[in-house]
Amino acid sequence: SFGGLEVQGVRMSSSTIECRSPKVSQPPLTSDVELMRDGMVLVTASGVKFHFYSAPSVTMLLPSAGPVSGGSVVTVIGSKFANDTAGLRCKFDAKILAVTASRLVSSSEVECIAPASVNLSSAAVELSFNYGIDFTKDSQEFLYQREILVDSIRPSLLRADVEGQVVTVMGQDFAAGEGLSCLFGDRVTRARSVSSSLISCVAPRNSAGVVTL
């Protein structure tokens, strides 16, 4: 019985009984768990509570693509994320990540560290809030791409305190897309794909000094 809602239990062993949780109309809800027979309470699980939460959903991934080597911090956007950091798990296709690779940011945002992949393919990203027992089923896809290599930039010197100067980045395996951007130090700017080996970036206004790109 879950807070007075009775369900059928199956005896698995002398120390284990398996019960399927009932549907509740107004989660979140916390209930006591009791073992019953023929309508009589045999035992109440002292100190054990079962927590019902609203069904979460995943609507967007930011970014939605990353290198096959893994390590990308993927922000999973959705709704009704349960406030249970211990039970949180991220899953990329069939690969369930360790608890240390998942972080609850808010009721609508979770961060997952993308695992490595041996294939250039997409992986469905899902979330669980009960230790990997039940996952969302929204199939938001993360695309694995080849590792990007930067060979050189031109020009490598720009005028200080000038807005809108264009830098050409040369390299390998550049992928076109709406999320294409350049990072000058800690500042993100828009970028334009010219080819798989050429990208143009608009440099931000900056004082004299050296920044990484």
Side-chain angles (χ1 to χ4, degrees), residues 47-153:
V48 175
K49 301 288 186 180
F50 188 85
H51 304 279
F52 293 91
Y53 55 80
S54 300
S57 63
V58 174
T59 57
M60 184 184 301
L61 305 178
L62 294 174
S64 59
V68 291
S69 58
S72 299
V73 178
V74 181
T75 300
V76 183
I77 307 296
S79 61
K80 299 180 181 178
F81 293 170
N83 187 23
D84 184 358
T85 55
L88 174 62
R89 299 292 186 274
C90 299
K91 183 174 73 167
F92 284 66
D93 276 348
K95 187 177 293 184
I96 300 176
L97 307 187
V99 63
T100 53
S102 312
R103 186 174 77 92
L104 179 68
V105 179
S106 69
S107 61
S108 60
E109 188 174 325
V110 163
E111 289 182 347
C112 306
I113 300 177
S117 174
V118 296
N119 299 314
L120 295 172
S121 59
S122 295
V125 179
E126 307 291 1
L127 298 178
S128 170
F129 294 90
N130 60 352
Y131 301 88
I133 303 300
D134 300 297
F135 281 90
T136 55
K137 298 178 181 179
D138 301 300
S139 297
Q140 291 295 315
E141 305 237 318
F142 181 82
L143 177 64
Y144 281 100
Q145 301 173 327
R146 289 186 176 87
E147 199 82 32
I148 294 174
L149 298 177
V150 174
D151 296 327
S152 61
I153 59 175

Side-chain angles (χ1 to χ4, degrees), residues 17-37:
I17 293 177
E18 187 177 275
C19 304
R20 186 175 293 275
S21 60
K23 181 179 180 179
V24 296
S25 59
Q26 293 183 324
L29 177 69
T30 300
S31 70
D32 294 318
V33 179
E34 298 173 323
L35 296 181
M36 306 180 69
R37 176 179 292 169

Side-chain angles (χ1 to χ4, degrees), residues 147-163:
E147 199 82 32
I148 294 174
L149 298 177
V150 174
D151 296 327
S152 61
I153 59 175
R154 189 175 59 206
S156 59
L157 292 174
L158 298 176
R159 289 176 293 170
D161 299 314
V162 175
E163 188 80 31

